[in-house]
Amino acid sequence: MRSFRAGESLLGPGSGERRLLVLTDGLARVSDSGDLLGVVGEGDSVGELGFINGMPESRSVQALTAVNALELSAESLSDLPPKVHLHYYRTISDRLAERLAR
């Protein structure tokens, strides 16, 4: 679990970390070059693209309120049984595809 204060950065542009953050509470602002793309909250995730293939993050994610998030790394999922591992990657890929389609 990770905790962020209001105004703190959850993810920043150029970050190539293979990690995913699933917000358990709080709100965060997602922006690209200063332009608001959306607000994420409880149950939403950020960092999918970097998590799946290690691509550098292009968006900024900043806490609007105090935020708690479950942090997953690609390595942490590799310890899971293959069936569970596949389920998580499929769910993450579906969320990413849905977000890109919007």
Side-chain angles (χ1 to χ4, degrees):
M1 288 297 295
R2 296 272 315 267
S3 295
F4 302 89
R5 295 182 310 272
E8 194 173 354
S9 175
L10 281 69
L11 290 173
S15 172
E17 298 178 53
R18 295 191 71 178
R19 67 184 179 121
L20 175 77
L21 295 169
V22 180
L23 279 65
T24 58
D25 60 79
L27 296 172
R29 177 185 201 273
V30 181
S31 59
D32 187 5
S33 300
D35 295 330
L36 177 66
L37 297 177
V39 173
V40 292
E42 183 178 332
D44 291 325
S45 58
V46 293
E48 296 91 343
L49 195 55
F51 184 84
I52 295 292
N53 66 8
M55 289 189 67
E57 184 63 50
S58 62
R59 306 172 304 161
S60 295
V61 183
Q62 185 176 32
L64 292 172
T65 65
V67 171
N68 289 311
L70 175 64
E71 181 178 53
L72 299 170
S73 69
E75 294 77 31
S76 66
L77 286 186
S78 66
D79 295 335
L80 298 173
K83 187 175 183 178
V84 176
H85 190 201
L86 177 62
H87 170 76
Y88 275 102
Y89 268 93
R90 181 173 290 145
T91 300
I92 294 164
S93 297
D94 287 348
R95 282 183 176 227
L96 179 59
E98 185 179 299
R99 183 171 293 144
L100 291 173
R102 283 189 257 140

